[in-house]
Amino acid sequence: MHTHIKKILLLSSAFFFAQNASFALDVIFPQRNPHTTKAAETYIMGNVNKHSKLQINGENVKVWHNGAFCHVVKVNDGENKFVITETGRNITNTKTYVVNKNLPTVKKAPSVKVTQTTPTVRKDYKELLLGSIITDGAPVREKPTEQSRRITHLPKNTMVMLEAEYGNWYKIHTEHDKDQLWIFKKNVKTQYPINNRYKASLQGTEYFENADFSGFKTDFDITVPFKIEEKNNDLEITFWGIKDISDFEKSFETQKVFKNIKTKVFDKNNITILIPSHEKLWGYDATYEKNSFVFKKRKAPTTNKINPLEGITIAIDAGHGGKEAGTIGPTRIPEKDVNLQIALKLQKELEKNGAKVIMTRDCDKFTEIYQRPEIAKNGNALICLSIHCNSMVDGNPYKKHGVSVFYYNEHTKQLADTIKKQMAEDLKLRDDGTNFASFVLTRPTATMSVLIETAFMPNPYEYERLINPHFQTKTAQSVCKGLKKYLIEQTN
């Protein structure tokens, strides 16, 4: 039997036995007892024997035909006790769960030994410190905190001048007070103080085109930090620390690859070049190869209205896998299994429509999170779809549920919205939004990457559908339909 068919049959068998097993009282959420929350309401979710009756604090709770239950409870300040009782044929099971909200803080008597902590302060260097990036794609933020906005991602071996530190962060020098660039210390190898500011000189620029990309390769004597910003369909590339503007502008004059490319700003050795376009943006990539800055802009795919997926490369990422289960449903089916089932069915649907499909995993195995976008990029995928099922901490799964799609780059927002609307319509699911999110699987720029949350596992109705092979097939068909619609609208 073909290996691929064996995998599908084994997974389908696992789903069958999981859905038809008998359960005793099994509480999946809250995961901890006691559970602490700030929310006004939370839920108790799990499973019982499908022939049992269930009460929580004496209130009857619906048990679904597969034994699943999910009951929303109000949470008052202080300690809230919930007694969960299952009664059935010759069985009675009881569990008590405690949910704490806004409990008063108990002040402990001061210990004999008093330790003083020094508050974190910014330390400015008398001389700039030269450093080099040691982590590929190291994030640079506008403030020294992991919650602040990402400005850019720097390739490995990019040279940076550091002017200050704050806790675990370095501040990158740019000669512009308005440019606040902070990078985590672990991503930088410091070298030695420097008296003068390093500035890059342009050694030459070569423009190129191939079937998928237009681009240029600019040789510098040293690498410098850069960022790329989307301005509708235009792109702006900023370099910090350029010695002279004239060599850049000379390289624009004779090339024919990028029409109307120009210098937008040159101030205090920082240059911003504008790459205008009247066409939709399909992706781009930039990195250093030794001292050469290599930029690539993806060309629009060639499609037809009859079969727009023909010849298009699509990457499918089945979220989680192996030791990483993801969220767990009421009857303990893990998200990783549902994701894989939908992903395999989507692979079949896309290939049936002529697409070339790349899978980040096609079985229950662990694939490291940063490897997944690299698999898509190395396969030159035009689009990457990361398949997930949603979860929630506290709140009401009967109010917050449905399908949502996440994006990061502006040029992928319409793709995310088109797929989400198609799924909400086809699957009769609540529209939970087209949402911005900085995920590993949404940040790539060379591949149009979005993350699909098909439905919510804690919601018993949606969970029952998610674990149903027929619904998984319908989900795959709907995603495929959304992709076809997007390609037709954007390329014809």
Side-chain angles (χ1 to χ4, degrees), residues 19-25 47-55 61-69 85-93:
Q19 291 180 70
N20 289 276
S22 293
F23 302 98
L25 177 57
N47 61 78
V48 294
N49 190 294
K50 57 188 177 181
H51 301 294
S52 294
K53 293 183 179 180
L54 184 70
Q55 288 187 329
V61 175
K62 178 178 179 178
V63 176
W64 294 69
H65 80 277
N66 59 359
F69 69 86
T85 305
E86 174 195 11
T87 55
R89 296 173 183 172
N90 303 318
I91 61 165
T92 300
N93 293 310

Side-chain angles (χ1 to χ4, degrees), residues 15 19 345 463-473:
F15 267 81
Q19 291 180 70
K345 290 173 171 62
Y463 174 71
E464 186 176 49
R465 299 177 78 192
L466 283 168
I467 63 177
N468 184 306
H470 178 65
F471 179 80
Q472 294 162 4
T473 299

Side-chain angles (χ1 to χ4, degrees), residues 52 77 89 113 123 246 250 260 285 299 310 364 384 389 414 472:
S52 294
D77 286 349
R89 296 173 183 172
K113 184 179 178 180
K123 176 184 175 183
S246 59
K250 286 177 184 176
N260 303 319
D285 190 37
K299 294 180 177 179
E310 183 72 44
D364 184 20
C384 179
C389 300
Q414 187 61 46
Q472 294 162 4

